[in-house]
């Protein structure tokens, strides 16, 4: 009889450890899903701003900052543009092309996060 009680206690302990491990795995999945959703929102913000700059007919601003409230907190979007130092193979300087850098900064659980994209924009004149 004593062995049966020990066996039941051992099975209950193993089951409890399994349930705790499963709970932690579910928590990790939820955290990963939240981080992925945050990054998708930030990538969409960067993509939208890039499309606005490319669709505009004027030279992009040298520096500009946007503070955007999302469902995941505040995202600071910084835009920097500068003439691209591009040359042809014969050392002819190419003018009218700007290198634009968009940087998004936000925090997840108090930890700073950031994403950045760079692209070229041609504006004559």
């Amino acid at each position: 009889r004593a062995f049966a009680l020990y066996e039941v206690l051992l099975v209950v302990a193993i089951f409890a450890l399994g349930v705790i491990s499963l709970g932690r795995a579910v928590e990790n999945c939820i955290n990963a899903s939240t981080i992925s959703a945050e990054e998708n929102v930030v990538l969409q913000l960067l993509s939208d701003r890039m499309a606005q700059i490319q669709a505009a007919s004027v030279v992009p601003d040298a520096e500009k900052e946007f503070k955007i409230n999302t469902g995941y907190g505040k995202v600071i979007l910084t835009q920097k543009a500068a003439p691209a130092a591009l040359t042809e193979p014969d050392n002819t300087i190419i003018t009218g092309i700007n290198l634009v850098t968009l940087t998004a900064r936000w925090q997840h659980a108090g930890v700073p996060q950031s994403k950045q994209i760079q692209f070229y924009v041609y504006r004559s004149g």
Side-chain angles (χ1 to χ4, degrees):
R1 288 186 167 213
F3 287 114
L5 181 60
Y6 287 129
E7 289 172 358
V8 169
L9 288 176
L10 181 64
V11 168
V12 169
I14 291 171
F15 178 75
L17 288 174
V19 169
I20 290 170
S21 297
L22 182 63
R24 287 188 180 161
V26 168
E27 180 183 8
N28 288 341
C29 288
I30 290 171
N31 286 339
S33 177
T34 302
I35 290 170
S36 177
E38 281 180 13
E39 287 186 357
N40 286 340
V41 167
V42 169
L43 291 174
Q44 187 63 50
L45 291 172
L46 290 169
S47 177
D48 290 348
R49 185 63 195 153
M50 181 175 77
Q52 290 172 358
I53 292 169
Q54 289 175 333
S57 60
V58 296
V59 175
D61 294 327
E63 194 163 333
K64 203 170 189 180
E65 184 173 279
F66 305 91
K67 293 180 181 172
I68 304 162
N69 288 319
T70 67
Y72 299 100
K74 186 183 291 184
V75 175
I76 299 172
L77 183 64
T78 306
Q79 169 186 322
K80 293 184 180 181
L86 301 175
T87 57
E88 292 284 350
D90 65 355
N91 292 329
T92 304
I93 297 174
I94 302 172
T95 59
I97 297 179
N98 290 295
L99 176 62
V100 180
T101 303
L102 297 177
T103 306
R105 296 185 321 273
W106 74 101
Q107 291 203 355
H108 175 79
V111 178
Q113 306 287 324
S114 69
K115 290 278 183 195
Q116 184 178 73
I117 59 172
Q118 290 185 319
F119 56 98
Y120 292 103
V121 175
Y122 174 73
R123 297 292 179 262
S124 61

